[in-house]
Amino acid sequence: MSKSDKKPVGFATHITAGGIAGGMEALCCQPLDTIKVRMQLSRSGRAPGTKARGFIATGAQIVRRETPLALYKGLGAVLAGIVPKMSVRFASFEYYKKALSDKSTGKTNLGGIFLAGLGAGTTEAVVVVTPMEVVKIRLQAQQHSLADPLEAPRYRNAGHAVYTIVREEGFSALYRGVSLTALRQATNQGANFTAYQELKKFAHAKQPELEDLPSYQHMLIGLISGAMGPFSNAPIDTIKTRLQKSAAEPGKSAVQRIVGIAQEMWRQEGVRSFYKGITPRVLRVAPGQAVVFAVYERVRKVIESVQETVVDDSYSE
């Protein structure tokens, strides 16, 4: 079968490749995400002349007080949402990219790719990411010791956290911070997919003899593109984390609470507080995207090879 005869990648391929890639990312990078969340929730550095606790010190404190397994708090919520998250991300990106393409050539320009990334990020935020992160952050924020069976946590696991949040705060609590999450995910994926597609195109132009880039190049390109989002939207992510950690305040709208959190951070902790957790976030997101794109491209290629083999066999009969 010639390259031009290849069928478009189907939704099932996005689910499989994206799910496997997302699972690998979560297992590799969850400890850094837990450290990032603790740093964003920390009030250290508020006193004059003191510095906020760094990511190494934060990680060491978690391990010392709560055992190394505490670095994986919230992993259940992440794994439960990672397959739909990644399948929605890649499938919606390809859908928007195709819708924004030039009908005569089938190609999408740079602006169209960025808009497709924005759309994919917004879609995954509303469909999957927001409720998943509310549960994950509640679990990660619990500073109980896993080594002490008598020190019972408020939320035992992801399922119990969902049940408790809905029972005590209502179903809408799972969508607390959805506007900020959508804004963060949109800017993340807009920058991420644009950089990835352009760097991939550049790599192909420099190596015209290669039909497919090797996995290490996909990983390197994913690493670079994955670092773009965190630097562009760190304040949004920090405010979102604090909003999702806290319970609703009667009589206050989401906008009022967002403004209130931002004002309190600025007044009590200064501009540096908006970038708390940026180091572990970049260290988590960038390698995470390296893993995601490398695994996604590899699994997709394997699936396409299997599909081509089945088609070729059917033609030869």
Side-chain angles (χ1 to χ4, degrees), residues 234-281:
I236 297 171
D237 188 57
T238 303
I239 296 171
K240 175 201 71 68
T241 297
R242 295 198 180 192
L243 179 69
Q244 292 177 323
K245 161 65 171 61
S246 61
E249 296 178 36
K252 279 192 175 183
S253 67
V255 173
Q256 289 175 320
R257 294 181 63 212
I258 290 169
V259 172
I261 290 171
Q263 288 176 335
E264 181 184 7
M265 289 171 63
W266 178 270
R267 185 172 58 252
Q268 297 186 3
E269 303 171 64
V271 68
R272 288 186 306 173
S273 66
F274 291 94
Y275 289 87
K276 277 187 173 181
I278 185 64
T279 302
R281 186 174 174 221

Side-chain angles (χ1 to χ4, degrees), residues 28-275:
C28 293
C29 303
Q30 181 67 9
L32 287 169
D33 189 68
T34 299
I35 294 171
K36 180 213 75 169
V37 167
R38 289 293 182 86
M39 289 180 69
Q40 290 176 331
L41 296 175
S42 171
R43 298 298 196 268
S44 64
R46 291 173 64 175
T50 62
K51 289 185 176 181
R53 190 180 296 113
F55 80 94
I56 294 178
T58 301
Q61 183 186 53
I62 293 172
V63 171
R64 185 173 60 252
R65 292 176 57 184
E66 306 171 50
T67 79
L69 285 177
L71 293 171
Y72 283 90
K73 284 180 176 178
L75 180 61
V78 174
L79 288 175
I82 204 75
V83 172
K85 172 185 172 180
M86 288 300 173
S87 62
V88 166
R89 173 183 297 179
F90 284 103
S92 61
F93 172 74
E94 292 297 334
Y95 174 81
Y96 296 134
K97 180 183 171 185
K98 184 177 180 181
L100 294 166
S101 66
D102 186 318
K103 304 308 177 187
S104 60
T105 64
K107 294 183 178 181
T108 309
N109 60 28
L110 187 64
I113 289 174
F114 181 71
L115 288 175
L118 290 179
T122 303
T123 302
E124 71 175 16
V126 174
V127 176
V128 181
V129 177
T130 302
M132 180 186 75
E133 289 214 340
V134 169
V135 174
K136 175 182 70 70
I137 287 169
R138 296 292 182 94
L139 290 167
Q140 288 174 322
Q142 297 184 123
Q143 301 191 30
H144 68 288
S145 174
L146 296 176
D148 184 359
L150 297 179
E151 190 178 346
R154 175 172 174 76
Y155 307 115
R156 294 191 296 272
N157 50 49
H160 181 251
V162 171
Y163 172 76
T164 304
I165 293 169
V166 172
R167 186 188 63 189
E168 295 181 355
E169 304 173 48
F171 184 79
S172 62
L174 292 175
Y175 279 87
R176 188 163 296 145
V178 64
S179 57
L180 289 177
T181 304
L183 182 59
R184 185 199 66 181
Q185 292 303 112
T187 52
N188 265 351
Q189 300 316 317
N192 188 18
F193 275 113
T194 303
Y196 183 79
Q197 295 284 329
E198 287 302 300
L199 289 171
K200 186 177 174 182
K201 188 188 301 180
F202 176 79
H204 273 296
K206 290 294 184 180
Q207 306 164 101
E209 73 280 2
L210 296 179
E211 183 178 349
D212 295 299
L213 297 178
S215 292
Y216 80 88
Q217 291 189 20
H218 284 134
M219 185 169 285
L220 181 60
I221 294 171
L223 182 74
I224 297 170
S225 66
M228 302 293 183
F231 283 113
S232 66
N233 57 29
I236 297 171
D237 188 57
T238 303
I239 296 171
K240 175 201 71 68
T241 297
R242 295 198 180 192
L243 179 69
Q244 292 177 323
K245 161 65 171 61
S246 61
E249 296 178 36
K252 279 192 175 183
S253 67
V255 173
Q256 289 175 320
R257 294 181 63 212
I258 290 169
V259 172
I261 290 171
Q263 288 176 335
E264 181 184 7
M265 289 171 63
W266 178 270
R267 185 172 58 252
Q268 297 186 3
E269 303 171 64
V271 68
R272 288 186 306 173
S273 66
F274 291 94
Y275 289 87

Side-chain angles (χ1 to χ4, degrees), residues 278-295:
I278 185 64
T279 302
R281 186 174 174 221
V282 171
L283 289 176
R284 184 227 182 280
V285 173
Q289 290 308 299
V291 171
V292 164
F293 279 114
V295 174

